[in-house]
Amino acid sequence: DVNDALGSRKAYDPAFDHRIRARMPVDRYAAEYNMEHKRRGLALIFNHENFDVPQLKARAGTNVDCENLSTALKALDFEVHVYKDLKLRDLQKEVERVAQMDHSDADCILVTILSHGELGYLYAKDCQYKLDVIWSFFTANHCPSLAGKPKLFFIQACQGDQLDGGVVLTPKDRTETDSSSSMTFKIPTHADFLIAYSTIPGFYSWRNTQKGSWFMQSLCHELSQHGRKYDILTLLTFVAQRVAYDFESNTPDIPMMHQQKQIPCVTTMLTRLLRFGDKK
């Protein structure tokens, strides 16, 4: 095969073959991930409510999201750990610590970030960062005990300042936004990731100050009602349906922001179906 990268036509040299080797947790062409390990796995929730960055407002409603998600994930057998208002350095230290753990007896790992954001960036308590700062710790070469296993990321944050106008509905509560404005075989190091964003690139993500964000409300509902019934991509399709059809912003005092809509966005590198079946 021809490589599409310039300058990559070097001859293979066994002396420079430092490939990481990991045990595959399921047959090569299995349709579903092996979710029958001893543990479901860790679920990390990084909940950001208050910030040191001057232009970032407190995220009213985020604690509701955090509590509801914790409940939904525990019901699916996850071991949930919640972190509140971490600075970037502390956030990275915790992620690195978890990535260095042995996940051999776990099905998967799940990371959720509830914060402010803009296109390409999320906010810790003290500064902005790119998401790959977090998920790169879990690639197969850095975390071999999660190789071939699902690595799930749920991101509740704005991805920009564009608005999505929609159909007229009658919401009740004031809303605001999350923005500052078998055989041995190789797998790609970035395989088996799924990143679910609350909104599409460039757009606002909406949060109700009493009930929590639209995306997290919808995600928690689907996980709680159908978390063991459907595979993850089917679940996320219904999450998108719920966000798209059941929610609309209600800010009549700010006409430009009033009666706006939202649609989540999923990036998947999963290679099999993922179901959260019953733990024996």
Side-chain angles (χ1 to χ4, degrees), residues 62-123:
T62 189
N63 293 326
V64 176
D65 282 344
C66 186
E67 291 167 14
N68 290 341
L69 184 62
S70 295
T71 300
L73 293 177
K74 287 175 182 175
L76 293 174
D77 307 302
F78 280 96
E79 179 184 331
V80 179
H81 295 263
V82 175
Y83 307 89
K84 184 72 182 291
D85 292 343
L86 291 190
K87 293 185 176 181
L88 180 57
R89 184 175 179 180
D90 296 326
L91 193 158
Q92 286 180 291
K93 280 184 177 179
E94 186 57 25
V95 169
E96 185 173 16
R97 184 188 71 81
V98 170
Q100 291 173 349
M101 294 170 59
D102 183 3
H103 301 270
S104 297
D105 65 347
D107 294 335
C108 61
I109 193 163
L110 188 152
V111 178
T112 299
I113 299 172
L114 310 172
S115 190
H116 284 302
E118 54 194 49
L119 186 57
Y121 292 92
L122 297 170
Y123 280 92

